[in-house]
């Protein structure tokens, strides 16, 4: 599959887009950018583009309808007596809700039909077999448009935001479509909100030297992460996840760690390229990662990893559910009995269950993804449940929770739990994932690290050294960012010769140490399939 | 306003709510505390806080919360 790290994208598509964007007049430039986005979509998904257009038309019309209802309501409220206003608002809210539900049925209906029907039919067939019912349906197979899970969430966030009057509906179909199809965001996000981006893209500012240079560094940094680490460990990851039964627990643990590393470098590297592309054009796209492996708890990890998905789930699922009347009533009852920590924990557990079920299923139609969601749900709820006794324990035994080694322990523990979760996520099936976990425990051994097995996974010693050096480089950059240092800003303040040297050095590192050519299979964009 | 300070101090006593301006941005109040706080504020001021109002700007400081409460009481 073509990726943002491919030659086609970086050396053909991007230069053509940048050049066309810069030389065309403003009135044409925005349509050129829209055409480039749809051209990119067509290149990846062909006629499946029609599904995307259908979603754009649906949310555009829904937005206009909602805005019309809001305008009518405001007029009626203005003219009404104070006592009647509440009833007018409630009547309007009911009508708007029906339109939002209709848009949800269309948008999520397309997503569910194309992506999840085979999974449901397979499971239904399995259930029938189990119950001895002699009905077996043919499992359908549908081609799925690129990035459908991402743009569906974006589209629904627009409808919800219009309904809640956070943004006005957009009367310009092309502006709305541009935001929903903007080519850097198509494959792996981040899930950008209409309010923060649509208007800015539509302004299509000219490319500025400073933005372009900083964007280029960000792109090179992303390419480096992907080609030096994610692609280089790919052969080993493929081998270990396919043939795990032939290896001991140490190697299965290595599989978990290598995939976690690969996924982070691939996903965050792609996001670097995406944000860098936006920056070159003069747009600030939302960040999706904030040094996730410095997180001390799983809850914190999810505020630093795939931030835009977490924020979407928080704003459009967690809080609306937690603030629904039944759950509010439950919160009140539980607070009265269990106090201010455990009371809301009961309510939020109900909302979190829905969030993590959605999160798991969003990643893919498979039981391993549902398990992945439930795994993180359990860890987060357990973490919240244990927080008060852990704090009490630390206070009683005079353990400073801000002490470096205590925080290091928390970070390593979180990274370990995340890696185990990622093992289930990457495993070929849930059954494989459970077998891998069992093997890791039952056949725990470090012998394969010393008997040469680790060097027979398609990675030799130089491969490990290159990966280690690249990871160290990313760690240093992350540490600087964590401490508030903006590396690119500092670099930009240096003389042009230094900047050129650094740019050249990054390109040289990629060309010399990137994993490409004979013997290497680049990893497919992991999140593009979601 | 004084009652609001009391409620906040009952919830999480370790912060100075007269000066703190990044309660959400700096992760001083977690989602459980926010849920408990909303439940308490709704009871105390007889208001309904919709989910769409749960944004950092409305909960980053006691002042911001007070502004939100007054706005919702007027509606």
């Amino acid at each position: 599959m073509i990726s943002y790290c491919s030659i086609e994208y970086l050396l053909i598509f991007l230069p053509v887009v940048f050049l066309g964007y810069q030389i065309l007049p403003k009135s044409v430039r925005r349509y050129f950018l829209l055409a480039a986005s749809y051209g990119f979509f067509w290149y990846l998904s062909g006629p499946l583009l029609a599904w995307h257009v259908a979603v754009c038309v649906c949310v555009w019309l829904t937005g206009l309808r909602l805005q019309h209802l809001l305008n009518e309501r405001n007029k009626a409220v203005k003219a009404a007596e104070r006592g009647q206003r509440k009833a007018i608002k409630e009547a309007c809210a009911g009508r708007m809700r029906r339109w939002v539900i209709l848009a949800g049925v269309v948008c999520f209906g397309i997503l569910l039909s194309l992506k999840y029907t085979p999974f449901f039919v397979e499971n239904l067939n399995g259930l029938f077999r189990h119950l001895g019912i002699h009905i077996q349906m043919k499992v359908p197979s549908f081609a799925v448009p690129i990035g459908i899970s991402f743009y569906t969430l974006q589209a629904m966030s627009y409808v919800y935001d219009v309904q809640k009057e956070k943004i006005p509906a957009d009367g310009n179909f092309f502006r709305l479509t541009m935001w929903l199809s903007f080519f850097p965001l198509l494959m792996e996000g981040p899930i950008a909100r209409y309010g923060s981006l649509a208007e800015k893209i539509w302004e299509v500012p000219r490319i500025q030297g400073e933005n372009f240079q900083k964007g280029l560094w960000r792109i090179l940094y992303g390419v480096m992460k992907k080609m030096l680490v994610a692609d280089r460990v790919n052969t080993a990851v493929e081998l270990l996840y396919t043939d795990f039964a032939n290896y001991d627990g140490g190697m299965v643990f290595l599989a978990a760690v290598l995939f976690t590393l690969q996924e982070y470098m691939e996903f965050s590297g792609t996001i670097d390229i995406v944000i860098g592309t936006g920056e070159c054009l003069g747009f600030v796209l939302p960040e999706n990662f904030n040094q996730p492996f410095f997180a001390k708890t799983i809850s914190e990890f999810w505020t630093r990893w795939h931030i835009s998905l977490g924020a979407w789930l928080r704003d459009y699922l967690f809080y609306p559910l937690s603030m629904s009347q039944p759950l509010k009533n439950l919160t009140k009852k539980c607070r009265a009995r269990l106090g201010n920590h455990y009371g809301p924990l009961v309510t939020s557990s109900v909302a979190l269950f829905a969030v993590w079920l959605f999160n798991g299923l969003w990643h893919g139609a498979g039981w391993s993804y549902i398990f992945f969601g439930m795994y993180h749900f359990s860890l987060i709820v357990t973490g919240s449940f244990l927080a008060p006794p852990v704090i009490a324990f630390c206070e009683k035994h005079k353990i400073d929770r801000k002490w470096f080694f205590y925080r290091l322990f928390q970070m390593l523990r979180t990274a370990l739990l995340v890696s185990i979760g990622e093992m289930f996520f990457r495993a070929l099936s849930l059954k494989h994932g459970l077998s891998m976990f069992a093997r890791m425990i039952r056949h725990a051994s470090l012998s394969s690290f010393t008997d040469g097995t680790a060097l027979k996974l398609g990675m030799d010693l130089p491969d490990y050294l290159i990966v280690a050096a690249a990871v160290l480089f990313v760690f240093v950059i992350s540490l600087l960012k964590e401490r508030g240092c903006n590396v690119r800003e500092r670099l930009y303040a240096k003389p042009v010769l230094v900047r050129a040297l650094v740019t050249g050095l990054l390109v040289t590192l990629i060309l010399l140490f990137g994993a490409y050519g004979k013997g290497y299979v680049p990893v497919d964009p992991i999140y593009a399939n979601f | 306003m004084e009652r609001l300070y009391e409620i906040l101090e009952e919830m999480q006593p370790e912060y100075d709510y007269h000066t703190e301006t990044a309660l959400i941005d700096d992760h001083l109040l977690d989602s459980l505390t926010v849920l408990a706080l909303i439940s308490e504020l709704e009871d105390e001021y007889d208001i309904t806080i919709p989910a769409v109002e749960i944004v950092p700007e409305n909960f980053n400081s006691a002042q911001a919360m007070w502004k939100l409460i007054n706005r919702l009481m007027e509606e």
Side-chain angles (χ1 to χ4, degrees):
Chain A
M1 181 191 278
I2 188 176
S3 75
Y4 289 119
C5 200
S6 62
I7 289 175
E8 293 97 314
Y9 179 80
L10 292 171
L11 299 183
I12 301 170
F13 182 77
L14 266 192
V16 169
V17 170
F18 287 160
L19 191 68
Y21 183 89
Q22 190 68 353
I23 59 174
L24 288 169
K26 189 170 180 174
S27 54
V28 186
R29 206 182 302 153
R30 52 176 62 124
Y31 296 102
F32 171 75
L33 201 56
L34 182 60
S37 294
Y38 266 158
F40 187 72
F41 201 118
W42 181 271
Y43 184 71
L44 291 168
S45 292
L48 296 173
L49 175 65
W51 292 115
H52 185 275
V53 177
V55 167
C56 290
V57 172
C58 170
V59 296
W60 179 62
L61 291 175
T62 309
L64 291 180
R65 184 68 200 155
L66 291 173
Q67 192 63 57
H68 173 74
L69 289 171
L70 282 167
N71 294 344
E72 292 293 308
R73 184 204 69 179
N74 290 345
K75 270 189 224 163
V77 165
K78 222 172 180 179
E81 297 288 321
R82 198 176 172 86
Q84 295 172 320
R85 287 176 186 171
K86 200 175 174 189
I88 294 170
K89 282 182 181 174
E90 277 171 7
C92 178
R95 278 199 292 275
M96 287 202 294
R97 203 172 300 125
R98 283 197 284 277
W99 282 98
V100 173
I101 290 170
L102 185 65
V105 167
V106 173
C107 295
F108 282 118
I110 294 172
L111 175 68
L112 285 170
S113 312
L114 297 180
K115 197 171 153 182
Y116 297 93
T117 309
F119 175 66
F120 286 126
V121 173
E122 266 172 32
N123 280 284
L124 213 56
N125 283 343
L127 184 70
F128 287 154
R129 271 198 305 275
H130 186 73
L131 297 173
I133 301 169
H134 300 289
I135 300 172
Q136 289 294 294
M137 288 171 284
K138 192 176 173 233
V139 180
S141 168
F142 299 112
V144 181
I146 193 79
I148 185 169
S149 301
F150 289 97
Y151 71 69
T152 303
L153 296 193
Q154 279 198 188
M156 284 313 296
S157 75
Y158 167 77
V159 172
Y160 184 86
D161 286 353
V162 173
Q163 182 203 13
K164 298 294 174 189
E165 298 177 81
K166 282 167 87 176
I167 50 169
D170 196 337
N172 186 336
F173 176 71
F174 294 111
R175 182 168 44 207
L176 184 73
T177 305
M178 173 94 97
W179 161 69
L180 272 174
S181 65
F182 188 44
F183 70 86
L185 302 174
L186 269 180
M187 284 174 77
E188 300 198 37
I191 301 160
R193 304 287 172 90
Y194 174 90
S196 63
L197 195 61
E199 194 61 51
K200 285 172 191 158
I201 303 180
W202 197 243
E203 280 169 16
V204 282
R206 273 202 184 280
I207 295 174
Q208 302 294 323
E210 182 177 347
N211 289 343
F212 193 80
Q213 212 166 115
K214 287 180 184 168
L216 194 66
W217 287 330
R218 184 91 190 242
I219 291 174
L220 287 173
Y221 184 53
V223 173
M224 194 208 78
K225 280 178 175 175
K226 163 100 167 46
M227 289 181 73
L228 266 68
V229 183
D231 288 348
R232 195 165 283 279
V233 300
N234 196 32
T235 315
V237 169
E238 288 279 343
L239 185 70
L240 285 170
Y241 276 86
T242 313
D243 293 336
F244 68 91
N246 296 328
Y247 296 97
D248 66 17
M251 284 295 103
V252 176
F253 178 70
L254 181 69
V257 172
L258 280 184
F259 174 66
T260 306
L261 195 63
Q262 182 187 41
E263 193 191 20
Y264 176 57
M265 294 296 184
E266 194 282 324
F267 192 18
S268 73
T270 299
I271 294 297
D272 287 327
I273 298 171
V274 165
I275 293 177
T277 303
E279 211 168 341
C280 285
L281 292 166
F283 312 129
V284 181
L285 302 180
E287 291 291 342
N288 225 13
F289 290 92
N290 181 22
Q291 296 79 257
F293 292 100
F294 287 123
K296 295 183 286 298
T297 63
I298 293 291
S299 297
E300 189 191 350
F301 177 81
W302 282 100
T303 62
R304 289 168 171 264
W305 171 284
H306 208 169
I307 296 168
S308 63
L309 176 66
W312 193 98
L313 291 169
R314 180 196 65 213
D315 293 345
Y316 301 108
L317 202 55
F318 179 76
Y319 279 132
L321 270 178
S322 304
M323 291 291 103
S324 63
Q325 206 50 53
L327 285 191
K328 269 185 178 178
N329 295 342
L330 184 66
T331 306
K332 268 180 205 167
K333 279 183 194 164
C334 292
R335 273 184 65 223
R337 287 183 174 214
L338 303 168
N340 280 336
H341 182 80
Y342 290 109
L345 180 58
V346 175
T347 322
S348 65
S349 299
V350 177
L352 277 175
F353 179 81
V355 163
W356 283 99
L357 185 65
F358 186 98
N359 186 313
L361 275 170
W362 180 87
H363 281 93
W367 286 105
S368 54
Y369 296 113
I370 295 173
F371 183 88
F372 171 79
M374 290 301 105
Y375 173 81
H376 280 279
F377 163 72
S378 312
L379 290 177
I380 288 171
V381 172
T382 309
S384 294
F385 185 80
L386 292 178
V390 168
I391 292 170
F393 179 86
C394 288
E395 278 170 4
K396 188 178 172 191
H397 296 279
K398 293 183 182 131
I399 300 169
D400 180 6
R401 285 185 293 125
K402 288 181 180 165
W403 185 40
F404 171 77
F405 286 104
Y406 183 77
R407 284 188 294 142
L408 185 66
F409 158 75
Q410 286 182 303
M411 287 177 204
L412 291 174
R413 176 199 58 188
T414 305
L416 177 70
L417 291 172
V418 167
S419 300
I420 291 170
E422 293 303 326
M423 188 172 76
F424 286 102
F425 185 85
R426 172 62 175 80
L428 301 179
S429 65
L430 178 56
K431 204 174 157 190
H432 272 235
L434 292 169
S435 302
M436 285 180 83
F437 184 71
R439 193 157 189 84
M440 189 170 75
I441 305 293
R442 284 192 202 143
H443 298 268
S445 162
L446 293 175
S447 61
S448 32
F449 287 101
T450 51
D451 66 7
T453 308
L455 296 174
K456 291 175 192 157
L457 301 170
M459 284 177 72
D460 54 19
L461 192 60
D463 282 320
Y464 281 104
L465 289 175
I466 290 169
V467 168
V471 169
L472 184 67
F473 179 69
V474 173
F475 173 74
V476 172
I477 297 283
S478 304
L479 195 62
L480 289 169
K481 272 180 77 183
E482 189 69 7
R483 292 185 174 173
C485 169
N486 188 328
V487 179
R488 286 185 305 153
E489 208 62 61
R490 284 199 172 190
L491 186 57
Y492 191 74
K494 301 279 181 215
V496 67
L497 196 67
V498 177
R499 283 182 274 156
L501 213 66
V502 170
T503 312
L505 188 70
L506 273 173
V507 174
T508 311
L509 281 175
I510 292 165
L511 291 177
L512 281 180
F513 300 115
Y516 56 90
K518 204 179 164 192
Y520 294 105
V521 182
V523 58
D524 272 341
I526 297 171
Y527 270 70
N529 296 320
F530 298 155
Chain B
M1 187 78 191
E2 280 312 309
R3 177 67 193 128
L4 176 61
Y5 286 127
E6 278 172 29
I7 291 171
L8 287 166
E9 272 150 25
E10 277 165 26
M11 293 270 164
Q12 286 272 17
E14 61 254 54
Y15 309 121
D16 180 359
Y17 295 100
H18 291 82
T19 56
E20 204 58 70
T21 56
L23 291 165
I24 304 293
D25 289 343
D26 289 351
H27 305 286
L28 303 182
L29 298 184
D30 60 13
S31 58
L32 293 183
T33 315
V34 172
L35 288 182
L37 181 63
I38 287 169
S39 171
E40 186 68 32
L41 296 179
E42 289 193 337
D43 279 352
E44 181 69 29
Y45 298 100
D46 193 25
I47 50 172
T48 302
I49 301 177
V52 72
E53 297 287 2
I54 311 174
V55 287
E57 303 89 78
N58 287 338
F59 287 88
N60 261 334
S61 66
Q63 285 293 342
M65 289 179 218
W66 186 240
K67 218 169 139 186
L68 172 73
I69 291 163
N70 281 306
R71 181 158 56 79
L72 293 172
M73 279 165 72
E74 277 171 23
E75 278 181 8

